[in-house]
């Protein structure tokens, strides 16, 4: 989380500085593509503020109303970021582009635009390189797309997505202004703005798809689930593991629910000992696992027993047999 914050602060500072210079250039030159780029940078700056807000709110402790904490705040605000990129960034850029295609206006002082876009590429490129370096460290052996799909901390890959779209948009804006100047047709500036809007729209849709699963309750990665299943199978007194249900309540909070069948002759003390030991091993192997519930499968003629383990791994009270 600390690394994610550093990436977000770096991106936010760069985007704010770039936004100011782009708006000044758009006001002087009348460039539609430059105005779209300024709006894009403002949206990105606001998005990073929302990501920081989500990370801060996710730290709040559990309460009676939210017994599993507020970790999903990160997922909610990441989804809001995707919506803002689509609605504001993409929508305004498409609108500005269409207006300038229908009513093209000549660009004044294109040199100013080139200078601002060059500075933008420099600042945005530095932010992108910083975010990509941090993302590489967290993705491990996975490929980039696989790491995004499997990643449980959207605050990291959201910044990479935004910065990638921003760099691509800057190159498109420069190409649009260059073509307008070279051909004398101001329509290319409007076309560049439309292309920027489409880039932002595609980025927003992809981000929304990746954060949606986390928001509604995505399972832990397959290797985590498989390892928990194997540890449960190896536990003393457990004959069979039926279900291993997991859900991310936040980037660093996994909820686990196990359905197992204990040995027929297992006594209550042995079951309790097995559950406590299994709880300890799972949490020791996987730091993100914070809560574990173990449910015994009902047998014919045998009471159904369940056990809840508290976060400290000290076990819990055995509820009364199911009636």
């Amino acid at each position: 989380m600390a690394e994610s914050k550093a990436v977000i602060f770096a991106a936010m500072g760069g985007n704010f500085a770039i936004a100011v210079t782009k708006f000044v250039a758009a006001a002087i030159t009348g460039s539609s593509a430059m105005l779209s780029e300024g709006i894009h940078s403002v949206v990105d700056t606001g998005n990073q503020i929302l990501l920081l807000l989500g990370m801060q709110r996710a730290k709040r402790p559990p309460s009676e109303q939210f017994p599993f904490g507020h970790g999903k705040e990160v997922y909610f605000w990441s989804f809001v970021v995707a919506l803002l990129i689509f609605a504001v960034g993409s929508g305004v850029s498409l609108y500005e582009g269409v207006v300038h295609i229908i009513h093209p206006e000549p660009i004044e002082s294109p040199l100013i635009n080139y200078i601002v876009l060059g500075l933008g590429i420099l600042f945005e490129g530095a932010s992108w390189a910083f975010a990509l370096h941090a993302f590489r460290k967290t993705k491990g052996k996975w490929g980039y797309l696989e790491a995004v799909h499997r990643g449980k901390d959207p605050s990291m890959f959201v910044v990479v997505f935004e910065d990638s779209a921003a760099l691509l948009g800057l190159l498109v804006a420069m190409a649009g202004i260059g073509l307008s100047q070279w051909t004398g047709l101001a329509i290319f500036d409007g076309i560049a703005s439309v292309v920027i809007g489409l880039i932002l729209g595609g980025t927003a849709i992809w981000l929304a798809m990746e954060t949606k699963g986390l928001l509604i309750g995505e399972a832990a990665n397959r290797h985590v689930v498989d390892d928990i299943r194997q540890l449960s199978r190896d536990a003393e007194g457990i004959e069979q593991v039926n279900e291993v249900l997991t859900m991310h309540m936040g980037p660093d909070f996994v909820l686990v629910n196990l359905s197992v069948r204990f040995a027929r002759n297992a006594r209550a003390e042995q079951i309790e000992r097995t559950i406590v030991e299994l709880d300890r091993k799972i949490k020791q192997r996987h730091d993100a696992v914070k809560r574990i519930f173990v449910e015994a499968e009902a047998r014919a003629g045998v009471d159904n027993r369940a056990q809840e383990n508290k976060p400290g791994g000290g076990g819990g009270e055995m509820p009364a047999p199911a009636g």
Side-chain angles (χ1 to χ4, degrees):
M1 276 290 197
E3 195 157 24
S4 299
K5 271 192 174 182
V7 169
I8 293 171
F9 274 119
M12 185 170 62
N15 281 321
F16 180 75
I18 294 167
V20 173
T21 55
K22 285 176 181 176
F23 279 128
V24 171
I28 295 173
T29 64
S31 169
S32 170
M34 185 59 69
L35 180 61
S36 296
E37 276 298 303
I39 293 167
H40 179 189
S41 293
V42 169
V43 172
D44 282 353
T45 304
N47 288 343
Q48 272 116 39
I49 293 172
L50 291 179
L51 288 175
L52 289 171
L53 174 65
M55 293 171 72
Q56 188 63 35
R57 291 177 66 86
K59 292 179 179 178
R60 290 181 296 168
S63 63
E64 186 175 345
Q65 187 178 5
F66 299 98
F68 295 107
H70 299 78
K72 286 197 174 186
E73 289 266 10
V74 174
Y75 302 151
F76 171 76
W77 290 107
S78 297
F79 192 76
V80 171
V81 163
L83 295 180
L84 282 175
I85 293 174
F86 185 82
V88 182
S90 178
V92 174
S93 295
L94 288 172
Y95 172 78
E96 281 293 322
V98 171
V99 168
H100 281 75
I101 288 173
I102 297 173
H103 304 290
E105 297 178 5
I107 298 174
E108 301 175 7
S109 305
L111 179 61
I112 295 176
N113 281 327
Y114 291 134
I115 293 172
V116 171
L117 288 173
L119 290 173
I121 290 172
L122 182 65
F123 294 139
E124 202 73 66
S127 173
W128 176 80
F130 186 66
L132 189 65
H133 176 70
F135 185 59
R136 274 192 190 132
K137 287 166 66 177
T138 59
K139 78 180 184 68
K141 61 181 180 180
W142 297 329
Y144 288 100
L145 294 181
E146 187 181 13
V148 170
H149 183 64
R150 293 191 181 192
K152 308 304 180 182
D153 184 0
S155 58
M156 184 66 74
F157 62 73
V158 164
V159 176
V160 175
F161 271 49
E162 281 186 343
D163 287 349
S164 299
L167 271 176
L168 192 55
L170 286 166
L171 294 174
V172 170
M174 186 171 282
I177 293 170
L179 284 171
S180 295
Q181 185 184 10
W182 182 50
T183 63
L185 299 175
I187 193 174
F188 283 109
D189 184 47
I191 292 172
S193 186
V194 169
V195 173
I196 292 169
L198 293 175
I199 290 171
L200 293 176
T203 302
I205 291 170
W206 195 5
L207 280 176
M209 290 172 61
E210 292 299 333
T211 54
K212 182 196 73 171
L214 294 167
L215 185 60
I216 64 178
E218 191 170 295
N221 286 320
R222 172 52 55 188
H223 75 278
V224 176
V225 176
D226 289 344
D227 190 53
I228 291 173
R229 182 180 293 276
Q230 189 58 52
L231 287 171
S232 302
R233 283 174 178 160
D234 294 341
E236 182 183 359
I238 293 180
E239 287 185 345
Q240 182 176 323
V241 180
N242 300 313
E243 286 185 310
V244 179
L245 305 178
T246 62
M247 182 166 62
H248 266 270
M249 307 302 294
D252 302 311
F253 186 156
V254 176
L255 173 70
V256 179
N257 188 86
L258 299 171
S259 174
V260 302
R261 190 174 69 201
F262 287 97
R264 186 178 295 273
N265 60 348
R267 300 175 62 84
E269 294 83 359
Q270 182 185 352
I271 291 175
E272 183 175 356
R273 205 164 44 245
T274 297
I275 291 174
V276 170
E277 183 62 18
L278 179 60
D279 176 273
R280 185 189 65 79
K281 286 183 178 179
I282 292 174
K283 289 176 179 176
Q284 189 177 51
R285 190 80 66 91
H286 303 284
D287 293 338
V289 175
K290 298 295 191 291
R291 295 294 298 270
I292 303 172
F293 295 85
V294 181
E295 182 180 358
E297 182 192 46
R299 288 175 178 270
V302 179
D303 290 333
N304 184 42
R305 288 163 292 187
Q307 170 74 30
E308 175 196 349
N309 287 324
K310 294 186 171 64
E317 294 182 356
M318 185 81 72

